[in-house]
Every structure is written in C-alpha cells, then in structure tokens.
Amino acid sequence: MPKWIQLLLLLGTFGSLALNARAEHITFHNELAACVTIKTITTATASNVVLANTNIQLRKSIGECGCLSALAVYISSVGRGGVQQILQEGLIRLDRDGEKTFVLATEPRLIEKKAVQVRLFCAPPL
C-alpha cells in the first residue's frame, strides 16, 4: 500500500489527536462554485502535513461546470512579499457529497500566521 494512503488511513483513525494548524485564515477560490460548495470543518497537522478537512456538497455534476471528468485540481498558496507562493498541488475526486481532505502544506511553519488560499478548478484532460 502506498505511504500516502497509509497516512490518510492513519489520519482518519487518529485525526482527533492531530494538532491544529495555525493558519490565519483559509480561503477557497472555487472556480466550480456553481456545482460544488466547500466548507472547512477543521485544520490539523500530522507528521508535518497540514490538512484542511472539508465538507463537500455537490449541487450538480462538475461536468456541468465544464470539467471533462470528476477530477478537480487544487493548489494551496500563501502570499510572501506580494507574491503568491505555491505550497501544494493535487487532484481530488468530486463525484459525491461528503468529507474530503486537502493537503495544504508539508511544513506547518509555511502557513503559520498566513492567509492560505486554495484554488479549485477542473483537471485538464489526460
């Protein structure tokens, strides 16, 4: 089993033991807002990975928002010196309502006292 899957399973099991990340604020720039609502439930840190646990609600398929599959790309970033610096980029499957976890950073100090922006948009065709 890949290590990242093991980490997610571990976080699902011990998520309540994780420490809160100290991001000032998390903002979603949701380009799929006509189809998907995202609400941050909590943030947590485990093994230096900062996570945003969210609740996803689909109003309609993201295909109706122009996506060619159920996959979306997310990019987390913070502003430093007037420039947005990318922290993480990933794919997330948006085919049903429920809880989803976004990896925001692999080092908690990168987001400490920073406003984190998460951009969500259609994944490009393969």
Side-chain angles (χ1 to χ4, degrees):
M1 180 181 302
K3 294 257 186 224
W4 67 272
I5 292 176
Q6 291 174 349
L7 175 64
L8 288 177
L9 291 174
L10 178 69
L11 292 172
T13 304
F14 299 107
S16 62
L17 299 177
L19 301 173
N20 285 336
R22 292 191 176 106
E24 229 175 69
H25 186 67
I26 299 172
T27 304
F28 280 88
H29 295 280
N30 182 2
E31 295 179 18
L32 305 174
C35 294
V36 180
T37 300
I38 303 171
K39 293 182 182 173
T40 304
I41 300 170
T42 60
T43 58
T45 303
S47 300
N48 272 347
V49 177
V50 182
L51 307 165
N53 300 309
T54 66
N55 187 0
I56 302 288
Q57 186 175 34
L58 297 176
R59 290 191 200 110
K60 52 189 170 182
S61 163
I62 65 171
E64 294 182 51
C65 285
C67 297
L68 299 177
S69 73
L71 296 177
V73 173
Y74 71 92
I75 298 173
S76 65
S77 63
V78 293
R80 291 192 194 281
V83 175
Q84 282 300 114
Q85 290 187 320
I86 294 174
L87 299 171
Q88 290 290 298
E89 180 176 343
L91 285 173
I92 194 156
R93 187 170 190 84
L94 298 176
D95 59 348
R96 63 178 75 150
D97 293 341
E99 292 186 16
K100 295 281 185 178
T101 301
F102 293 80
V103 176
L104 300 180
T106 56
E107 172 60 53
R109 290 186 305 180
L110 295 174
I111 68 163
E112 195 169 70
K113 300 179 185 174
K114 298 277 186 200
V116 177
Q117 294 181 2
V118 181
R119 182 175 166 232
L120 182 73
F121 55 97
C122 294
L126 297 176

